[in-house]
Amino acid sequence: MQIGAKLKELRILKGLTQEELADRTELSKGFISQLERDLTSPSIATLMDILQCLGTSIGEFFNETQEEQIVFCKQDYFEKIDTELHNEIKWIIPNAQKNVMEPILLTLEAGGSTYPDNPHEGEEFGYVLQGSISIHRGAKTYKAKKGESFYFVADKKHYLTSKGGAVILWVSSPPSF
């Protein structure tokens, strides 16, 4: 771990100059500069004093949390092919079940469908990227084609079918796929 770079980042976030931090910690500006460039190492007591002035603790400072992944590519996707229902589901955001919404890329072959989903809490949104689909919700059926979207509350049994095949971006909130 680059302690110096992390100290500098914290100092700048707090809007302090090296001189101001040096004054608050009763250290020299030169020492702070050397710390930030990893040219010297502080004692534990000195590090604790600096961190206190920067509004954090040793535990928080050394807590190495993994950076949140923002962009996902094909290698991150998880796929499931259902030969019985003639569909392919790609979870395009891995572990999305821990999030508020769960997007999938759904490919329906000609004559394909999704498994009927029982009523549940939440909402469903979809955008038809290719082909056309039928949205079955309760006793009603709705049609959507390429370039159209759908949105409904998931309080009735629902599923999708496609006579000629389709590709849909489908988002469920909360996650249910």
Side-chain angles (χ1 to χ4, degrees):
M1 172 187 262
Q2 298 259 321
I3 291 175
K6 199 163 180 183
L7 285 172
K8 182 177 182 179
E9 184 181 318
L10 277 172
R11 176 183 59 77
I12 291 169
L13 278 172
K14 292 291 181 182
L16 298 173
T17 65
Q18 286 181 343
E19 193 167 346
E20 289 170 328
L21 182 57
D23 289 344
R24 291 181 184 196
T25 57
E26 299 178 356
L27 298 167
S28 71
K29 179 184 172 192
F31 183 72
I32 298 294
S33 175
Q34 287 182 345
L35 278 178
E36 289 183 355
R37 293 180 291 146
D38 286 313
L39 298 176
T40 189
S41 297
S43 67
I44 298 291
T46 300
L47 181 60
M48 288 176 70
D49 288 344
I50 292 169
L51 294 176
Q52 184 178 13
C53 291
L54 293 173
T56 190
S57 68
I58 275 202
E60 290 173 357
F61 183 77
F62 285 107
N63 184 11
E64 295 256 351
T65 55
Q66 237 181 355
E67 192 172 316
E68 177 184 16
Q69 186 175 359
I70 301 295
V71 177
F72 302 89
C73 58
K74 287 183 179 184
Q75 291 86 340
D76 298 315
Y77 300 173
F78 174 75
E79 295 180 16
K80 177 186 170 205
I81 296 172
D82 188 327
T83 54
E84 188 178 315
L85 294 175
H86 306 287
N87 71 41
E88 175 187 65
I89 297 173
K90 287 184 184 171
W91 282 265
I92 55 179
I93 305 295
N95 300 318
Q97 61 271 18
K98 67 179 176 24
N99 298 335
V100 175
M101 60 182 160
E102 181 178 28
I104 64 164
L105 191 60
L106 172 66
T107 302
L108 295 173
E109 294 175 19
S113 71
T114 61
Y115 191 80
D117 202 0
N118 287 319
H120 59 85
E121 193 177 302
E123 302 165 339
E124 307 278 339
F125 159 81
Y127 180 78
V128 183
L129 298 166
Q130 291 176 12
S132 62
I133 60 169
S134 294
I135 303 127
H136 305 271
R137 182 173 176 266
K140 293 189 177 184
T141 301
Y142 307 87
K143 305 268 186 210
K145 62 184 182 297
K146 180 180 177 178
E148 295 180 334
S149 57
F150 60 88
Y151 181 93
F152 58 86
V153 175
D155 61 349
K156 294 181 171 75
K157 190 174 204 165
H158 53 278
Y159 62 99
L160 305 180
T161 59
S162 179
K163 288 182 182 172
V167 178
I168 304 105
L169 174 63
W170 194 357
V171 180
S172 178
S173 179
S176 66
F177 295 112

